Each structure stands twice: as structure tokens, then as C-alpha cells.
Amino acid sequence: MMGALLLALLAASPVPDAVPRRFAVVVGNNQGLGGDATLRYAERDARSVLTVLEEVGGVRREDSLLLLGADADTVRGELVRFEKRLQEQVRPGDQLFVYISSHAEGDALRFSGTRLPMREVTRFVEQAPVGVALLVVDACESGRAVRLKGLKPLPGILMSVEQPAIAGRVIITASAADEAAQESDALAGSVFTHHLIAALRGAADLSGDGRVTLSEAYSYSYARTVESSLLSRAGVQHPSFRVDLEGHGELILTSPAAATSLLTLAIDEPGDWTVSTLSGEPFLGHVRKGEGAATLALPAGGYILTTRQAHNALEARVQVPASGRAQLTRAQLVPRELVANERKGSAAGRWMLHLGPAVGLPLVSTFGTMVGGSGQLQYAWEEGVVNVTTAALGLKHGEHVAGDLQQNDFELRLGVGHLARDEYGIGFQLTAEFGGVLAWQWQPSTGSTRFGLHPYAGIAGGMWIPLGSTFRLTFLGNFGPAWVRKDSGSGLVWTYGGGVGIGVVR
């Protein structure tokens, strides 16, 4: 969608004798504030965007600034220095592209434990001494985080803006004001940025003329982002943009056919394709091809291309030359059986460990409250009603009210259940457990001892409060009956336990 817009200005140079010089500032940060989960792809996306700008967007390496993992003060200082450079070097009609991928809240970006107000970024874009400036923000709630004075929304998804002599400002966001911007392991990047890059490399060239126009890139990026997030638990993601441009003439964003290394899909039928490296790493992930041949601008190297049919998949390996064009024909495609793959990324599991003091109700009522410690190891994944397994160990000590009898309880409980997280990253879990309690009683005055093994079944709950990317403040508790043998017979005894501690998540 707006991907279109963004390189619009970067790739368009309609006047041969006055080609605009293009500058770029690209920022990526995987770390937010203490309670934010670490992003997987923000910094990688930033590198990929700059690569595309250099390969097909007309940005020279010396005219770009790449900031990865920088805090707010560092970014602020670099923007001041870059603005001074623009004031010294910019000519009328030159263009600026600013891309940011990070954590965000409504009015601020989150960089490595610090906040950078969005107004500072928008002020930089607004005051830059260039003819055209674009700001692209791939972050949650970015739709309300980025607003420039005087910008007006462009209506419709299939609109066309024609202007070679362009002047103005454009702002593009990966999500609407109240939406989450999402990452995908299947795409190896954020959903929006992935489709934007694919569009600019040629996936949006539905006309097959070797060029990507504004309307083509806009339609492709918007539609594919919505489609990719349609079944996401985070909700559907709607990219949005505001624009204030003036000029006339057709706007070409990129010309993939003019790249030094190309891959042409010489297959007429439309379809969805995956483009991966020979090692299996997603490069363009999912690409939608329309009717007729399609050309992609790809770095030189080997690739695996796969498309799915009704009952099988077709796959081919191609080598893209450093200078020239590789071509994939139907004859090169080899049938492959469909296989069931486990989902990666958010569906991948994580280990969680709790350690801390604990208290519990004694199995024999004549003992006082049992005091000791507990540890719990659990493995959690994202998908399914049942998405966590637990193994808990505990040791508690108590004394008889008469004072001459003591008891230690050794607990082992195994459980399965559900772990959910709220918008602040706090985890809430509920599990069903079974296990046993080994009770060891001894009488100090006589030295006599006895043991008893008591089966247990019950439920457990817990809360994991983030203290950073790795540590959590944990509250765990359990409740249920144990089958206890006494001098007077056997029976069910209701017991409970609980504790507070520190958790580690990996």
C-alpha cells in the first residue's frame, strides 16, 4: 500500500536532467522498555529496507544513515547532525526517506529503555530542507503516533497519483491508531515491511512492464498486509497513510527490470510463491504473482522457489547471476508432497523457571502452617487451549502443636493447562495437576521416624509479571485433595500451597 508512496519519491526521477538526490535515515531497535517483549525482526527489517533503497531506490550508501539498537538520545543526536548535513548538501527537489521499526506507544517510540516522542521525528521530517520527505513507521498504534500538519488522507485503495515534479510530505504507518503491528516468523520480518519490500522488488508489478507504480505498490502492500493478518490473534492490521503532495505526471516507484540481478518467473498462471535462500531462510517469504510473467530484483545467489497446487507443491532451485537474469520456467518445477510443518516464532515454545519461598496447609491439621520453598519449571507455547506443561518441586517444614513432632513434606506435581498474556505482557496460567507428597515425620525426643506417600490431584494458578525481557515477578498457588493415611484410617484431606518468587523466561 503505502509502500508505494514511500519509495514513490525515492525511485521516481521523471526529469532526466534533474534527477533528485535521495537521502535515507533508517532506524531499527528490537528492545523497548523493560516490560516489552524483545522484537525479532525490527533491526533486520531496517537493514533490509536500506538494502532495497540502495539497490532499486536510488539511495547512495554515503547518503544514508543506519541506526540499529540506539537509544533515544543517540537517535535524537544523529537526527540533528543529519539535518545539518541536509542543509549543507540538499538541492531543490531532493528527497528524504525515513524508516523506523521499533516498539511504540501512542505518542512515543520505545528505544532500549528510553522514549523518543514522535513529535521530534515528525518535526525532523517536516523541517527537512528537501522537496519531498517520507516517513514510514512500522510499530504498534503508529496510525495515531505519526501526524504531520496539513496532511490529508488519500481516499480509496486503488487511487493513482501522477506527478513527476513532486513536492510535499508523506507519512506511512504499518497499522491504524488502535492496532498492533505484527511480526511473522513465516515471513522472517514484520508483516507490513515484508510486503512493502516485496512490492518494491517487483512483486507489485502486475502490469509486467518492469516498473512498479504507486497504485500497484499501494494495492499490493495494503491487500497483502490485511490478508496476512486476517487470522492473527492480534487482529487484522490495516496500514494507513497521509499525504500532502503536489505535481503532475505518472509516478514510478521502482524499476525492478533495471536492476543488475534479476529473476523472471516465466509462468503464466497467477499464484502464491515463497522465495527462500538455499539454506531455507525466507527471503521474500510469500509473494503473490498475477497473470503472466513476473520479474523480481534479487541479490545474486541461490534461491528455492515454491508454489502450492491443489494436492502437492512445486519447487525449483535457481541461481541468480551477479549481472544478468535468471529465468524460471514450468519445466524446472519439481513436484513435492505437502507436509505438516510446525509453526515457528510466536508459536515456538519458551522455558519458564520459578524459584522462591512457599507456605502451605499441613496434611495433618495438628501441625502448624508449613513453610519452605518451591521451584517450578514449565514449557509454554502460544497456540491451543492447552499450551503449557509444568513440573513443580517443593519442600515445606512444620511442627506439631505439642512441640515434640516435626514433619517435612516433599512435593512433586505435574500439570497441563493454559497460559494467557495481556497487553502488558503479564502472564496468567491455570493448570490441572497430579502428583504426590512424601511426608517425613520424626520425634526429636525419641528419634523415631516414619514416612508416608500421599497421592495428590488439584488445580494450580499463577501470575508472571515482567521485570524486563528475561525476569518476572511470580505468584503461584495450588489447591486440591490428597489421599492421606492416618492412624485412624485413610481419607481425603484438602490442602493448598502458595509462594512468591523470581521467574526466568528463555
Side-chain angles (χ1 to χ4, degrees):
M1 127 180 207
M2 6 189 143
L5 262 179
L6 72 94
L7 257 243
L9 328 169
L10 296 172
S13 57
V15 183
D17 58 346
V19 177
R21 185 176 177 182
R22 301 180 181 107
F23 297 84
V25 176
V26 178
V27 181
N29 197 318
N30 290 335
Q31 304 297 329
L33 301 183
D36 292 332
T38 300
L39 297 175
R40 295 180 178 90
Y41 302 112
E43 295 177 17
R44 175 175 176 166
D45 284 344
R47 292 191 192 95
S48 298
V49 166
L50 184 58
T51 297
V52 172
L53 296 180
E54 293 174 348
E55 290 182 1
V56 295
V59 175
R60 299 182 301 181
R61 179 69 57 88
E62 59 269 25
D63 289 335
S64 66
L65 171 65
L66 176 63
L67 298 173
L68 300 177
D71 61 16
D73 287 338
T74 300
V75 174
R76 184 181 292 113
E78 291 297 331
L79 291 181
V80 170
R81 282 186 282 274
F82 203 84
E83 184 175 11
K84 292 180 180 178
R85 177 182 173 186
L86 292 176
Q87 292 171 349
E88 297 172 354
Q89 301 180 12
V90 159
R91 303 167 301 175
D94 285 349
Q95 301 165 356
L96 170 67
F97 174 51
V98 179
Y99 171 89
I100 299 173
S101 182
S102 69
H103 277 288
E105 51 194 346
D107 58 355
L109 300 165
R110 297 175 176 177
F111 295 147
S112 299
T114 63
R115 288 183 172 89
L116 179 67
M118 274 305 310
R119 64 178 179 272
E120 297 187 30
V121 178
T122 56
R123 186 184 304 120
F124 167 76
V125 173
E126 195 173 25
Q127 297 179 355
V130 293
V132 172
L134 305 102
L135 172 62
V136 179
V137 180
D138 195 337
C140 293
E141 300 182 3
S142 52
R144 68 186 175 97
V146 285
R147 292 188 175 93
L148 294 180
K149 293 184 288 185
L151 292 180
K152 47 187 177 295
L154 286 178
I157 186 174
L158 295 177
M159 75 348 161
S160 177
V161 176
E162 300 180 351
Q163 44 204 28
I166 303 171
R169 296 294 185 266
V170 174
I171 185 169
I172 299 168
T173 64
S175 63
D178 57 350
E179 294 176 348
Q182 302 169 37
E183 293 188 317
S184 168
D185 280 340
L187 301 177
S190 75
V191 174
F192 166 72
T193 296
H194 164 80
H195 293 306
L196 171 61
I197 291 174
L200 297 172
R201 285 194 176 276
D205 180 21
L206 300 181
S207 67
D209 64 356
R211 307 181 305 173
V212 177
T213 66
L214 174 61
S215 60
E216 286 175 328
Y218 176 89
S219 300
Y220 182 92
S221 300
Y222 181 92
R224 295 295 282 142
T225 298
V226 171
E227 181 183 28
S228 296
S229 60
L230 193 60
L231 300 180
S232 169
R233 289 189 174 187
V236 181
Q237 180 177 334
H238 298 87
S240 58
F241 68 88
R242 291 173 177 264
V243 61
D244 189 359
L245 294 174
E246 55 187 26
H248 61 278
E250 186 174 13
L251 180 60
I252 305 300
L253 303 185
T254 56
S255 298
T260 57
S261 55
L262 298 167
L263 171 63
T264 296
L265 303 179
I267 297 172
D268 291 335
E269 296 84 357
D272 291 331
W273 292 76
T274 62
V275 181
S276 306
T277 65
L278 293 180
S279 62
E281 181 181 5
F283 184 77
L284 287 186
H286 300 297
V287 175
R288 174 153 297 170
K289 187 187 79 65
E291 292 279 356
T295 297
L296 301 174
L298 301 176
Y303 296 91
I304 301 174
L305 282 88
T306 308
T307 185
R308 176 169 177 163
Q309 304 294 292
H311 304 292
N312 66 354
L314 299 177
E315 180 182 286
R317 298 185 175 223
V318 296
Q319 187 72 29
V320 177
S323 179
R325 179 190 303 264
Q327 183 167 279
L328 175 64
T329 65
R330 178 165 292 279
Q332 297 171 259
L333 295 171
V334 178
R336 292 283 186 261
E337 292 186 1
L338 297 178
V339 296
N341 293 324
E342 294 183 0
R343 183 180 168 185
K344 295 169 60 182
S346 62
R350 58 168 56 184
W351 291 98
M352 306 169 69
L353 175 66
H354 153 89
L355 294 172
V359 298
L361 186 70
L363 296 178
V364 180
S365 59
T366 52
F367 280 79
T369 300
M370 309 289 283
V371 179
S374 67
Q376 179 168 294
L377 179 66
Q378 63 186 52
Y379 183 74
W381 57 99
E382 292 293 334
E383 297 298 325
V385 176
V386 175
N387 66 352
V388 64
T389 61
T390 63
L393 290 172
L395 170 62
K396 300 186 183 72
H397 174 78
E399 297 185 0
H400 194 274
V401 292
D404 194 30
L405 186 61
Q406 301 186 36
Q407 178 169 315
N408 284 342
D409 286 346
F410 301 91
E411 303 176 2
L412 171 61
R413 307 189 314 272
L414 304 177
V416 294
H418 184 72
L419 174 67
R421 297 181 181 85
D422 68 7
E423 59 183 316
Y424 302 103
I426 300 176
F428 301 89
Q429 72 180 66
L430 183 66
T431 58
E433 294 185 322
F434 67 92
V437 179
L438 176 63
W440 172 34
Q441 290 184 351
W442 74 94
Q443 194 169 17
S445 61
T446 64
S448 62
T449 63
R450 65 176 178 174
F451 294 89
L453 180 60
H454 312 297
Y456 167 86
I459 60 174
M463 180 167 62
W464 299 68
I465 302 175
L467 299 177
S469 60
T470 300
F471 295 99
R472 304 288 188 270
L473 175 63
T474 54
F475 298 90
L476 301 179
N478 65 284
F479 174 75
W483 184 262
V484 177
R485 283 187 249 176
K486 309 176 185 177
D487 294 336
S488 58
S490 302
L492 292 177
V493 174
W494 291 90
T495 183
Y496 67 81
V500 60
I502 294 296
V504 179
V505 178
R506 300 295 295 177

